[in-house]
Amino acid sequence: MKILLCFGTRPEAIKMAPLYHELRKKTNFQVQVCVTAQHREMLDQVLHFFEIIPEYDLDLMQTNQTLNGLSATILSKIDFVLNKENPNLVLVHGDTTTSSMVALAAFHLDIKVGHVEAGLRTYNKKSPFPEEVNRQITGRIADYHFSPTLLSKQNLIKEGVSEETILVTGNTVVDALLWAKQKLKNGYSNKHLVDLKSFENKNFILVTGHRRESFGQGYLDFCEALLEIANQNEVDIIFPVHLNPNVQKPVYELLGKNKYIHLLEPVEYPIMVWLLDKCSLIISDSGGIQEEAPTFQKHILVTREVSERPEGVESGFSTLVGTKKELIVEKANHFLKNGFLSTVINPYGDGEASKKIVEYLLKLNA
């Protein structure tokens, strides 16, 4: 079976990397990778860390690119790759513009599509935007659905997807974390990691934020909350700042001079894994971090109104706080004072997701 993995962003690359390596172990599969480079520098860091060399790099990232412009370019450029390689199966991941447009292009050419991390839903098409609609588009096109949880499987069944085409796998992000933790344990380091060693035995909060639906007043309120938390508790905050100008401007203007808040450029994946391991609390709107935090038994305040990952909320690892200043401050103060201890296992999997997907594909290929 000839399989083409297509992805374009750093989160996709992280979650597809363990599946790529698991597929490569099997002689039954001819495996190729095509990256759209919807993200560029951040994607390249992950490819290097996970030792992946793509056969195709469409290099589509442009400054201030619109969603429509990106979508049109992906459809146009991936057409050449699909026609040239004519794979039996295209594997896409999650909720990006890359996943939905590559799935559509494959459908137009009558090529089967497998969707990794399938079935996550908020049923609010504006939150997360545009990811919720991307997921639903990909879900309508896909022939095989690899769902991380039972709830995501149930979402698909409610939408009329045949149960025979759905496999509950856990999330490949846990597979990736275990790979990264082992690499760090084996001595992996770099200059940026050395620079952060002074925080190793300190209490600090890890913060990220980049969702479009929070831009504007919501993001200003979020920044004000961080100022209040830092000053009230005299606690360090480490904040790798997303490159989007809508994030950079308010963050550097409001937080740049506070002695407790440490603004970093976007960090490489192994550094993020180290920060997740060492921090006391997480405040973030990231979907991936909602899945990663339970592996480290860390609590995350999710700065979104709704989440397509409710398992974290139900199991006690996540608290939805939106961008409401008072609520963020209240909950952060609570967890800083009382700590967080859970005996619940990670609801997003045990690190075997990639193996389960490969076993399923082996049966298809039999």
Side-chain angles (χ1 to χ4, degrees), residues 1 18 25 39 65 69 85 109 124 136 150 152 171 194 197 220 225 244 250 253-254 274-275 327 334 359:
M1 178 186 285
K25 294 178 184 177
H39 293 171
Q65 188 162 232
E85 296 298 338
L109 297 173
N124 177 347
Q136 294 197 33
L150 182 60
S152 54
N171 200 302
V194 171
K197 285 292 184 179
L220 296 175
N244 190 308
E253 285 183 357
L254 291 174
W274 186 89
L275 290 169
L327 187 56
H334 168 80
E359 287 170 4

mmCIF file with all atom_site columns, all heavy atoms in Angstrom, residues 1 18 25 39 65 69 85 109 124 136 150 152 171 194 197 220 225 244 250 253-254 274-275 327 334 359:
data_model
loop_
_atom_site.group_PDB
_atom_site.id
_atom_site.type_symbol
_atom_site.label_atom_id
_atom_site.label_alt_id
_atom_site.label_comp_id
_atom_site.label_asym_id
_atom_site.label_entity_id
_atom_site.label_seq_id
_atom_site.pdbx_PDB_ins_code
_atom_site.Cartn_x
_atom_site.Cartn_y
_atom_site.Cartn_z
_atom_site.occupancy
_atom_site.B_iso_or_equiv
_atom_site.pdbx_formal_charge
_atom_site.auth_seq_id
_atom_site.auth_comp_id
_atom_site.auth_asym_id
_atom_site.auth_atom_id
_atom_site.pdbx_PDB_model_num
ATOM 1   N N   . MET A 1 1   ? 0.849   -1.201 0.000  1.00 0.00 ? 1   MET A N   1
ATOM 2   C CA  . MET A 1 1   ? 0.000   0.000  0.000  1.00 0.00 ? 1   MET A CA  1
ATOM 3   C C   . MET A 1 1   ? 0.877   1.240  0.000  1.00 0.00 ? 1   MET A C   1
ATOM 4   O O   . MET A 1 1   ? 1.802   1.358  0.787  1.00 0.00 ? 1   MET A O   1
ATOM 5   C CB  . MET A 1 1   ? -0.924  0.008  1.235  1.00 0.00 ? 1   MET A CB  1
ATOM 6   C CG  . MET A 1 1   ? -1.801  1.242  1.328  1.00 0.00 ? 1   MET A CG  1
ATOM 7   S SD  . MET A 1 1   ? -2.784  1.348  2.863  1.00 0.00 ? 1   MET A SD  1
ATOM 8   C CE  . MET A 1 1   ? -4.042  0.128  2.525  1.00 0.00 ? 1   MET A CE  1
ATOM 9   N N   . PRO A 1 18  ? 5.083   10.189 15.164 1.00 0.00 ? 18  PRO A N   1
ATOM 10  C CA  . PRO A 1 18  ? 5.153   8.798  15.621 1.00 0.00 ? 18  PRO A CA  1
ATOM 11  C C   . PRO A 1 18  ? 4.455   7.827  14.682 1.00 0.00 ? 18  PRO A C   1
ATOM 12  O O   . PRO A 1 18  ? 4.893   6.679  14.530 1.00 0.00 ? 18  PRO A O   1
ATOM 13  C CB  . PRO A 1 18  ? 4.475   8.838  17.000 1.00 0.00 ? 18  PRO A CB  1
ATOM 14  C CG  . PRO A 1 18  ? 3.689   10.087 17.029 1.00 0.00 ? 18  PRO A CG  1
ATOM 15  C CD  . PRO A 1 18  ? 4.395   11.053 16.138 1.00 0.00 ? 18  PRO A CD  1
ATOM 16  N N   . LYS A 1 25  ? 8.212   1.090  9.811  1.00 0.00 ? 25  LYS A N   1
ATOM 17  C CA  . LYS A 1 25  ? 8.697   -0.206 10.301 1.00 0.00 ? 25  LYS A CA  1
ATOM 18  C C   . LYS A 1 25  ? 8.149   -1.370 9.482  1.00 0.00 ? 25  LYS A C   1
ATOM 19  O O   . LYS A 1 25  ? 8.687   -2.475 9.543  1.00 0.00 ? 25  LYS A O   1
ATOM 20  C CB  . LYS A 1 25  ? 8.285   -0.400 11.769 1.00 0.00 ? 25  LYS A CB  1
ATOM 21  C CG  . LYS A 1 25  ? 8.939   0.550  12.750 1.00 0.00 ? 25  LYS A CG  1
ATOM 22  C CD  . LYS A 1 25  ? 8.402   0.293  14.162 1.00 0.00 ? 25  LYS A CD  1
ATOM 23  C CE  . LYS A 1 25  ? 8.950   1.271  15.172 1.00 0.00 ? 25  LYS A CE  1
ATOM 24  N NZ  . LYS A 1 25  ? 8.371   1.045  16.523 1.00 0.00 ? 25  LYS A NZ  1
ATOM 25  N N   . HIS A 1 39  ? 2.891   26.413 8.264  1.00 0.00 ? 39  HIS A N   1
ATOM 26  C CA  . HIS A 1 39  ? 3.888   27.032 9.135  1.00 0.00 ? 39  HIS A CA  1
ATOM 27  C C   . HIS A 1 39  ? 5.244   26.691 8.527  1.00 0.00 ? 39  HIS A C   1
ATOM 28  O O   . HIS A 1 39  ? 5.396   25.647 7.920  1.00 0.00 ? 39  HIS A O   1
ATOM 29  C CB  . HIS A 1 39  ? 3.854   26.459 10.557 1.00 0.00 ? 39  HIS A CB  1
ATOM 30  C CG  . HIS A 1 39  ? 2.599   26.777 11.309 1.00 0.00 ? 39  HIS A CG  1
ATOM 31  N ND1 . HIS A 1 39  ? 2.313   26.190 12.520 1.00 0.00 ? 39  HIS A ND1 1
ATOM 32  C CD2 . HIS A 1 39  ? 1.574   27.614 11.040 1.00 0.00 ? 39  HIS A CD2 1
ATOM 33  C CE1 . HIS A 1 39  ? 1.153   26.647 12.963 1.00 0.00 ? 39  HIS A CE1 1
ATOM 34  N NE2 . HIS A 1 39  ? 0.686   27.514 12.082 1.00 0.00 ? 39  HIS A NE2 1
ATOM 35  N N   . GLN A 1 65  ? -0.979  35.898 5.000  1.00 0.00 ? 65  GLN A N   1
ATOM 36  C CA  . GLN A 1 65  ? -1.743  35.079 4.054  1.00 0.00 ? 65  GLN A CA  1
ATOM 37  C C   . GLN A 1 65  ? -3.190  34.936 4.522  1.00 0.00 ? 65  GLN A C   1
ATOM 38  O O   . GLN A 1 65  ? -3.451  34.685 5.703  1.00 0.00 ? 65  GLN A O   1
ATOM 39  C CB  . GLN A 1 65  ? -1.087  33.705 3.967  1.00 0.00 ? 65  GLN A CB  1
ATOM 40  C CG  . GLN A 1 65  ? -1.637  32.795 2.899  1.00 0.00 ? 65  GLN A CG  1
ATOM 41  C CD  . GLN A 1 65  ? -0.667  31.669 2.588  1.00 0.00 ? 65  GLN A CD  1
ATOM 42  O OE1 . GLN A 1 65  ? -0.321  31.448 1.441  1.00 0.00 ? 65  GLN A OE1 1
ATOM 43  N NE2 . GLN A 1 65  ? -0.207  30.964 3.596  1.00 0.00 ? 65  GLN A NE2 1
ATOM 44  N N   . GLY A 1 69  ? -6.766  32.506 0.372  1.00 0.00 ? 69  GLY A N   1
ATOM 45  C CA  . GLY A 1 69  ? -5.568  32.407 -0.456 1.00 0.00 ? 69  GLY A CA  1
ATOM 46  C C   . GLY A 1 69  ? -4.800  31.131 -0.175 1.00 0.00 ? 69  GLY A C   1
ATOM 47  O O   . GLY A 1 69  ? -4.340  30.436 -1.094 1.00 0.00 ? 69  GLY A O   1
ATOM 48  N N   . GLU A 1 85  ? 2.093   10.825 -7.690 1.00 0.00 ? 85  GLU A N   1
ATOM 49  C CA  . GLU A 1 85  ? 2.319   9.659  -6.832 1.00 0.00 ? 85  GLU A CA  1
ATOM 50  C C   . GLU A 1 85  ? 1.149   8.676  -6.831 1.00 0.00 ? 85  GLU A C   1
ATOM 51  O O   . GLU A 1 85  ? 1.342   7.483  -6.619 1.00 0.00 ? 85  GLU A O   1
ATOM 52  C CB  . GLU A 1 85  ? 2.616   10.112 -5.399 1.00 0.00 ? 85  GLU A CB  1
ATOM 53  C CG  . GLU A 1 85  ? 3.899   10.913 -5.265 1.00 0.00 ? 85  GLU A CG  1
ATOM 54  C CD  . GLU A 1 85  ? 5.125   10.104 -5.673 1.00 0.00 ? 85  GLU A CD  1
ATOM 55  O OE1 . GLU A 1 85  ? 5.083   8.860  -5.654 1.00 0.00 ? 85  GLU A OE1 1
ATOM 56  O OE2 . GLU A 1 85  ? 6.145   10.739 -6.028 1.00 0.00 ? 85  GLU A OE2 1
ATOM 57  N N   . LEU A 1 109 ? -9.808  13.283 -6.760 1.00 0.00 ? 109 LEU A N   1
ATOM 58  C CA  . LEU A 1 109 ? -9.049  12.327 -7.571 1.00 0.00 ? 109 LEU A CA  1
ATOM 59  C C   . LEU A 1 109 ? -9.371  10.877 -7.206 1.00 0.00 ? 109 LEU A C   1
ATOM 60  O O   . LEU A 1 109 ? -8.673  9.957  -7.620 1.00 0.00 ? 109 LEU A O   1
ATOM 61  C CB  . LEU A 1 109 ? -7.543  12.587 -7.412 1.00 0.00 ? 109 LEU A CB  1
ATOM 62  C CG  . LEU A 1 109 ? -7.065  13.962 -7.915 1.00 0.00 ? 109 LEU A CG  1
ATOM 63  C CD1 . LEU A 1 109 ? -5.601  14.180 -7.554 1.00 0.00 ? 109 LEU A CD1 1
ATOM 64  C CD2 . LEU A 1 109 ? -7.259  14.077 -9.429 1.00 0.00 ? 109 LEU A CD2 1
ATOM 65  N N   . ASN A 1 124 ? -19.861 24.591 17.201 1.00 0.00 ? 124 ASN A N   1
ATOM 66  C CA  . ASN A 1 124 ? -19.932 26.052 17.092 1.00 0.00 ? 124 ASN A CA  1
ATOM 67  C C   . ASN A 1 124 ? -18.922 26.432 16.011 1.00 0.00 ? 124 ASN A C   1
ATOM 68  O O   . ASN A 1 124 ? -17.721 26.398 16.235 1.00 0.00 ? 124 ASN A O   1
ATOM 69  C CB  . ASN A 1 124 ? -19.565 26.700 18.427 1.00 0.00 ? 124 ASN A CB  1
ATOM 70  C CG  . ASN A 1 124 ? -19.547 28.224 18.359 1.00 0.00 ? 124 ASN A CG  1
ATOM 71  O OD1 . ASN A 1 124 ? -19.579 28.827 17.275 1.00 0.00 ? 124 ASN A OD1 1
ATOM 72  N ND2 . ASN A 1 124 ? -19.487 28.866 19.513 1.00 0.00 ? 124 ASN A ND2 1
ATOM 73  N N   . GLN A 1 136 ? -15.002 19.325 10.353 1.00 0.00 ? 136 GLN A N   1
ATOM 74  C CA  . GLN A 1 136 ? -16.245 18.763 9.821  1.00 0.00 ? 136 GLN A CA  1
ATOM 75  C C   . GLN A 1 136 ? -16.129 18.469 8.327  1.00 0.00 ? 136 GLN A C   1
ATOM 76  O O   . GLN A 1 136 ? -16.645 17.454 7.847  1.00 0.00 ? 136 GLN A O   1
ATOM 77  C CB  . GLN A 1 136 ? -17.406 19.713 10.118 1.00 0.00 ? 136 GLN A CB  1
ATOM 78  C CG  . GLN A 1 136 ? -17.704 19.830 11.613 1.00 0.00 ? 136 GLN A CG  1
ATOM 79  C CD  . GLN A 1 136 ? -19.073 20.409 11.893 1.00 0.00 ? 136 GLN A CD  1
ATOM 80  O OE1 . GLN A 1 136 ? -20.015 20.204 11.146 1.00 0.00 ? 136 GLN A OE1 1
ATOM 81  N NE2 . GLN A 1 136 ? -19.197 21.151 12.993 1.00 0.00 ? 136 GLN A NE2 1
ATOM 82  N N   . LEU A 1 150 ? -13.579 7.796  22.899 1.00 0.00 ? 150 LEU A N   1
ATOM 83  C CA  . LEU A 1 150 ? -14.902 7.238  22.633 1.00 0.00 ? 150 LEU A CA  1
ATOM 84  C C   . LEU A 1 150 ? -15.895 8.336  22.286 1.00 0.00 ? 150 LEU A C   1
ATOM 85  O O   . LEU A 1 150 ? -16.757 8.161  21.416 1.00 0.00 ? 150 LEU A O   1
ATOM 86  C CB  . LEU A 1 150 ? -15.384 6.448  23.856 1.00 0.00 ? 150 LEU A CB  1
ATOM 87  C CG  . LEU A 1 150 ? -16.737 5.751  23.722 1.00 0.00 ? 150 LEU A CG  1
ATOM 88  C CD1 . LEU A 1 150 ? -16.723 4.737  22.581 1.00 0.00 ? 150 LEU A CD1 1
ATOM 89  C CD2 . LEU A 1 150 ? -17.107 5.048  25.030 1.00 0.00 ? 150 LEU A CD2 1
ATOM 90  N N   . SER A 1 152 ? -15.323 11.179 20.738 1.00 0.00 ? 152 SER A N   1
ATOM 91  C CA  . SER A 1 152 ? -15.132 11.623 19.348 1.00 0.00 ? 152 SER A CA  1
ATOM 92  C C   . SER A 1 152 ? -15.695 10.594 18.371 1.00 0.00 ? 152 SER A C   1
ATOM 93  O O   . SER A 1 152 ? -16.216 10.958 17.308 1.00 0.00 ? 152 SER A O   1
ATOM 94  C CB  . SER A 1 152 ? -13.656 11.910 19.072 1.00 0.00 ? 152 SER A CB  1
ATOM 95  O OG  . SER A 1 152 ? -12.834 10.817 19.406 1.00 0.00 ? 152 SER A OG  1
ATOM 96  N N   . ASN A 1 171 ? -4.756  9.432  21.409 1.00 0.00 ? 171 ASN A N   1
ATOM 97  C CA  . ASN A 1 171 ? -4.192  10.503 20.597 1.00 0.00 ? 171 ASN A CA  1
ATOM 98  C C   . ASN A 1 171 ? -2.700  10.291 20.381 1.00 0.00 ? 171 ASN A C   1
ATOM 99  O O   . ASN A 1 171 ? -1.967  10.012 21.336 1.00 0.00 ? 171 ASN A O   1
ATOM 100 C CB  . ASN A 1 171 ? -4.436  11.857 21.262 1.00 0.00 ? 171 ASN A CB  1
ATOM 101 C CG  . ASN A 1 171 ? -4.311  13.003 20.274 1.00 0.00 ? 171 ASN A CG  1
ATOM 102 O OD1 . ASN A 1 171 ? -3.276  13.175 19.641 1.00 0.00 ? 171 ASN A OD1 1
ATOM 103 N ND2 . ASN A 1 171 ? -5.368  13.789 20.136 1.00 0.00 ? 171 ASN A ND2 1
ATOM 104 N N   . VAL A 1 194 ? 19.337  25.108 27.867 1.00 0.00 ? 194 VAL A N   1
ATOM 105 C CA  . VAL A 1 194 ? 20.301  25.496 28.907 1.00 0.00 ? 194 VAL A CA  1
ATOM 106 C C   . VAL A 1 194 ? 19.907  26.838 29.528 1.00 0.00 ? 194 VAL A C   1
ATOM 107 O O   . VAL A 1 194 ? 19.987  27.019 30.755 1.00 0.00 ? 194 VAL A O   1
ATOM 108 C CB  . VAL A 1 194 ? 21.730  25.556 28.324 1.00 0.00 ? 194 VAL A CB  1
ATOM 109 C CG1 . VAL A 1 194 ? 22.705  26.174 29.328 1.00 0.00 ? 194 VAL A CG1 1
ATOM 110 C CG2 . VAL A 1 194 ? 22.206  24.164 27.911 1.00 0.00 ? 194 VAL A CG2 1
ATOM 111 N N   . LYS A 1 197 ? 17.344  26.570 32.382 1.00 0.00 ? 197 LYS A N   1
ATOM 112 C CA  . LYS A 1 197 ? 17.644  25.698 33.519 1.00 0.00 ? 197 LYS A CA  1
ATOM 113 C C   . LYS A 1 197 ? 17.469  26.406 34.858 1.00 0.00 ? 197 LYS A C   1
ATOM 114 O O   . LYS A 1 197 ? 17.228  25.763 35.882 1.00 0.00 ? 197 LYS A O   1
ATOM 115 C CB  . LYS A 1 197 ? 19.071  25.141 33.396 1.00 0.00 ? 197 LYS A CB  1
ATOM 116 C CG  . LYS A 1 197 ? 19.230  24.041 32.350 1.00 0.00 ? 197 LYS A CG  1
ATOM 117 C CD  . LYS A 1 197 ? 18.502  22.775 32.758 1.00 0.00 ? 197 LYS A CD  1
ATOM 118 C CE  . LYS A 1 197 ? 18.745  21.651 31.749 1.00 0.00 ? 197 LYS A CE  1
ATOM 119 N NZ  . LYS A 1 197 ? 18.049  20.409 32.147 1.00 0.00 ? 197 LYS A NZ  1
ATOM 120 N N   . LEU A 1 220 ? -6.722  41.451 25.244 1.00 0.00 ? 220 LEU A N   1
ATOM 121 C CA  . LEU A 1 220 ? -6.296  42.489 26.191 1.00 0.00 ? 220 LEU A CA  1
ATOM 122 C C   . LEU A 1 220 ? -6.658  42.090 27.623 1.00 0.00 ? 220 LEU A C   1
ATOM 123 O O   . LEU A 1 220 ? -5.854  42.242 28.551 1.00 0.00 ? 220 LEU A O   1
ATOM 124 C CB  . LEU A 1 220 ? -6.933  43.831 25.839 1.00 0.00 ? 220 LEU A CB  1
ATOM 125 C CG  . LEU A 1 220 ? -6.529  44.450 24.492 1.00 0.00 ? 220 LEU A CG  1
ATOM 126 C CD1 . LEU A 1 220 ? -7.341  45.713 24.224 1.00 0.00 ? 220 LEU A CD1 1
ATOM 127 C CD2 . LEU A 1 220 ? -5.038  44.761 24.450 1.00 0.00 ? 220 LEU A CD2 1
ATOM 128 N N   . ALA A 1 225 ? -5.083  39.922 32.976 1.00 0.00 ? 225 ALA A N   1
ATOM 129 C CA  . ALA A 1 225 ? -5.169  38.864 33.981 1.00 0.00 ? 225 ALA A CA  1
ATOM 130 C C   . ALA A 1 225 ? -3.787  38.331 34.333 1.00 0.00 ? 225 ALA A C   1
ATOM 131 O O   . ALA A 1 225 ? -3.475  38.106 35.512 1.00 0.00 ? 225 ALA A O   1
ATOM 132 C CB  . ALA A 1 225 ? -6.065  37.734 33.472 1.00 0.00 ? 225 ALA A CB  1
ATOM 133 N N   . ASN A 1 244 ? 2.034   35.624 15.314 1.00 0.00 ? 244 ASN A N   1
ATOM 134 C CA  . ASN A 1 244 ? 0.956   36.431 14.746 1.00 0.00 ? 244 ASN A CA  1
ATOM 135 C C   . ASN A 1 244 ? 0.984   37.844 15.327 1.00 0.00 ? 244 ASN A C   1
ATOM 136 O O   . ASN A 1 244 ? 1.029   38.025 16.547 1.00 0.00 ? 244 ASN A O   1
ATOM 137 C CB  . ASN A 1 244 ? -0.395  35.768 15.057 1.00 0.00 ? 244 ASN A CB  1
ATOM 138 C CG  . ASN A 1 244 ? -1.546  36.401 14.298 1.00 0.00 ? 244 ASN A CG  1
ATOM 139 O OD1 . ASN A 1 244 ? -1.747  37.603 14.307 1.00 0.00 ? 244 ASN A OD1 1
ATOM 140 N ND2 . ASN A 1 244 ? -2.318  35.559 13.622 1.00 0.00 ? 244 ASN A ND2 1
ATOM 141 N N   . PRO A 1 250 ? -0.211  43.229 21.490 1.00 0.00 ? 250 PRO A N   1
ATOM 142 C CA  . PRO A 1 250 ? -0.706  43.444 22.854 1.00 0.00 ? 250 PRO A CA  1
ATOM 143 C C   . PRO A 1 250 ? 0.184   42.810 23.924 1.00 0.00 ? 250 PRO A C   1
ATOM 144 O O   . PRO A 1 250 ? 0.346   43.377 25.013 1.00 0.00 ? 250 PRO A O   1
ATOM 145 C CB  . PRO A 1 250 ? -2.095  42.794 22.840 1.00 0.00 ? 250 PRO A CB  1
ATOM 146 C CG  . PRO A 1 250 ? -2.075  41.844 21.697 1.00 0.00 ? 250 PRO A CG  1
ATOM 147 C CD  . PRO A 1 250 ? -1.169  42.450 20.679 1.00 0.00 ? 250 PRO A CD  1
ATOM 148 N N   . GLU A 1 253 ? 3.340   45.027 24.387 1.00 0.00 ? 253 GLU A N   1
ATOM 149 C CA  . GLU A 1 253 ? 2.995   46.346 24.916 1.00 0.00 ? 253 GLU A CA  1
ATOM 150 C C   . GLU A 1 253 ? 2.556   46.272 26.378 1.00 0.00 ? 253 GLU A C   1
ATOM 151 O O   . GLU A 1 253 ? 2.929   47.118 27.194 1.00 0.00 ? 253 GLU A O   1
ATOM 152 C CB  . GLU A 1 253 ? 1.877   46.973 24.071 1.00 0.00 ? 253 GLU A CB  1
ATOM 153 C CG  . GLU A 1 253 ? 2.361   47.484 22.721 1.00 0.00 ? 253 GLU A CG  1
ATOM 154 C CD  . GLU A 1 253 ? 1.253   48.157 21.930 1.00 0.00 ? 253 GLU A CD  1
ATOM 155 O OE1 . GLU A 1 253 ? 0.097   48.180 22.416 1.00 0.00 ? 253 GLU A OE1 1
ATOM 156 O OE2 . GLU A 1 253 ? 1.535   48.663 20.816 1.00 0.00 ? 253 GLU A OE2 1
ATOM 157 N N   . LEU A 1 254 ? 1.789   45.247 26.752 1.00 0.00 ? 254 LEU A N   1
ATOM 158 C CA  . LEU A 1 254 ? 1.222   45.173 28.091 1.00 0.00 ? 254 LEU A CA  1
ATOM 159 C C   . LEU A 1 254 ? 2.102   44.407 29.077 1.00 0.00 ? 254 LEU A C   1
ATOM 160 O O   . LEU A 1 254 ? 2.104   44.708 30.268 1.00 0.00 ? 254 LEU A O   1
ATOM 161 C CB  . LEU A 1 254 ? -0.164  44.516 28.038 1.00 0.00 ? 254 LEU A CB  1
ATOM 162 C CG  . LEU A 1 254 ? -1.267  45.331 27.360 1.00 0.00 ? 254 LEU A CG  1
ATOM 163 C CD1 . LEU A 1 254 ? -2.545  44.519 27.246 1.00 0.00 ? 254 LEU A CD1 1
ATOM 164 C CD2 . LEU A 1 254 ? -1.549  46.607 28.150 1.00 0.00 ? 254 LEU A CD2 1
ATOM 165 N N   . TRP A 1 274 ? 9.768   20.171 27.945 1.00 0.00 ? 274 TRP A N   1
ATOM 166 C CA  . TRP A 1 274 ? 10.476  20.431 29.208 1.00 0.00 ? 274 TRP A CA  1
ATOM 167 C C   . TRP A 1 274 ? 9.673   21.400 30.074 1.00 0.00 ? 274 TRP A C   1
ATOM 168 O O   . TRP A 1 274 ? 9.530   21.182 31.283 1.00 0.00 ? 274 TRP A O   1
ATOM 169 C CB  . TRP A 1 274 ? 11.859  20.998 28.904 1.00 0.00 ? 274 TRP A CB  1
ATOM 170 C CG  . TRP A 1 274 ? 12.741  21.164 30.104 1.00 0.00 ? 274 TRP A CG  1
ATOM 171 C CD1 . TRP A 1 274 ? 13.595  20.241 30.641 1.00 0.00 ? 274 TRP A CD1 1
ATOM 172 C CD2 . TRP A 1 274 ? 12.852  22.346 30.939 1.00 0.00 ? 274 TRP A CD2 1
ATOM 173 N NE1 . TRP A 1 274 ? 14.234  20.763 31.753 1.00 0.00 ? 274 TRP A NE1 1
ATOM 174 C CE2 . TRP A 1 274 ? 13.796  22.044 31.956 1.00 0.00 ? 274 TRP A CE2 1
ATOM 175 C CE3 . TRP A 1 274 ? 12.264  23.603 30.920 1.00 0.00 ? 274 TRP A CE3 1
ATOM 176 C CZ2 . TRP A 1 274 ? 14.157  22.966 32.936 1.00 0.00 ? 274 TRP A CZ2 1
ATOM 177 C CZ3 . TRP A 1 274 ? 12.602  24.516 31.908 1.00 0.00 ? 274 TRP A CZ3 1
ATOM 178 C CH2 . TRP A 1 274 ? 13.546  24.204 32.898 1.00 0.00 ? 274 TRP A CH2 1
ATOM 179 N N   . LEU A 1 275 ? 9.126   22.452 29.462 1.00 0.00 ? 275 LEU A N   1
ATOM 180 C CA  . LEU A 1 275 ? 8.339   23.430 30.205 1.00 0.00 ? 275 LEU A CA  1
ATOM 181 C C   . LEU A 1 275 ? 7.064   22.803 30.773 1.00 0.00 ? 275 LEU A C   1
ATOM 182 O O   . LEU A 1 275 ? 6.676   23.082 31.911 1.00 0.00 ? 275 LEU A O   1
ATOM 183 C CB  . LEU A 1 275 ? 7.981   24.613 29.300 1.00 0.00 ? 275 LEU A CB  1
ATOM 184 C CG  . LEU A 1 275 ? 9.136   25.529 28.893 1.00 0.00 ? 275 LEU A CG  1
ATOM 185 C CD1 . LEU A 1 275 ? 8.700   26.494 27.793 1.00 0.00 ? 275 LEU A CD1 1
ATOM 186 C CD2 . LEU A 1 275 ? 9.659   26.315 30.105 1.00 0.00 ? 275 LEU A CD2 1
ATOM 187 N N   . LEU A 1 327 ? -12.154 35.700 36.234 1.00 0.00 ? 327 LEU A N   1
ATOM 188 C CA  . LEU A 1 327 ? -12.207 34.244 36.360 1.00 0.00 ? 327 LEU A CA  1
ATOM 189 C C   . LEU A 1 327 ? -10.821 33.629 36.210 1.00 0.00 ? 327 LEU A C   1
ATOM 190 O O   . LEU A 1 327 ? -10.460 32.698 36.943 1.00 0.00 ? 327 LEU A O   1
ATOM 191 C CB  . LEU A 1 327 ? -13.166 33.663 35.319 1.00 0.00 ? 327 LEU A CB  1
ATOM 192 C CG  . LEU A 1 327 ? -13.448 32.162 35.424 1.00 0.00 ? 327 LEU A CG  1
ATOM 193 C CD1 . LEU A 1 327 ? -13.982 31.800 36.800 1.00 0.00 ? 327 LEU A CD1 1
ATOM 194 C CD2 . LEU A 1 327 ? -14.432 31.730 34.333 1.00 0.00 ? 327 LEU A CD2 1
ATOM 195 N N   . HIS A 1 334 ? -6.297  30.051 42.888 1.00 0.00 ? 334 HIS A N   1
ATOM 196 C CA  . HIS A 1 334 ? -6.712  28.820 43.572 1.00 0.00 ? 334 HIS A CA  1
ATOM 197 C C   . HIS A 1 334 ? -5.677  27.708 43.388 1.00 0.00 ? 334 HIS A C   1
ATOM 198 O O   . HIS A 1 334 ? -5.268  27.062 44.367 1.00 0.00 ? 334 HIS A O   1
ATOM 199 C CB  . HIS A 1 334 ? -8.071  28.367 43.049 1.00 0.00 ? 334 HIS A CB  1
ATOM 200 C CG  . HIS A 1 334 ? -8.449  26.978 43.489 1.00 0.00 ? 334 HIS A CG  1
ATOM 201 N ND1 . HIS A 1 334 ? -8.959  26.704 44.736 1.00 0.00 ? 334 HIS A ND1 1
ATOM 202 C CD2 . HIS A 1 334 ? -8.350  25.778 42.839 1.00 0.00 ? 334 HIS A CD2 1
ATOM 203 C CE1 . HIS A 1 334 ? -9.172  25.406 44.847 1.00 0.00 ? 334 HIS A CE1 1
ATOM 204 N NE2 . HIS A 1 334 ? -8.814  24.822 43.717 1.00 0.00 ? 334 HIS A NE2 1
ATOM 205 N N   . GLU A 1 359 ? -1.925  -1.212 12.736 1.00 0.00 ? 359 GLU A N   1
ATOM 206 C CA  . GLU A 1 359 ? -2.544  -2.552 12.737 1.00 0.00 ? 359 GLU A CA  1
ATOM 207 C C   . GLU A 1 359 ? -3.827  -2.538 11.919 1.00 0.00 ? 359 GLU A C   1
ATOM 208 O O   . GLU A 1 359 ? -4.127  -3.480 11.185 1.00 0.00 ? 359 GLU A O   1
ATOM 209 C CB  . GLU A 1 359 ? -2.837  -2.979 14.180 1.00 0.00 ? 359 GLU A CB  1
ATOM 210 C CG  . GLU A 1 359 ? -1.580  -3.365 14.959 1.00 0.00 ? 359 GLU A CG  1
ATOM 211 C CD  . GLU A 1 359 ? -1.858  -3.559 16.443 1.00 0.00 ? 359 GLU A CD  1
ATOM 212 O OE1 . GLU A 1 359 ? -3.037  -3.469 16.841 1.00 0.00 ? 359 GLU A OE1 1
ATOM 213 O OE2 . GLU A 1 359 ? -0.889  -3.765 17.207 1.00 0.00 ? 359 GLU A OE2 1
#
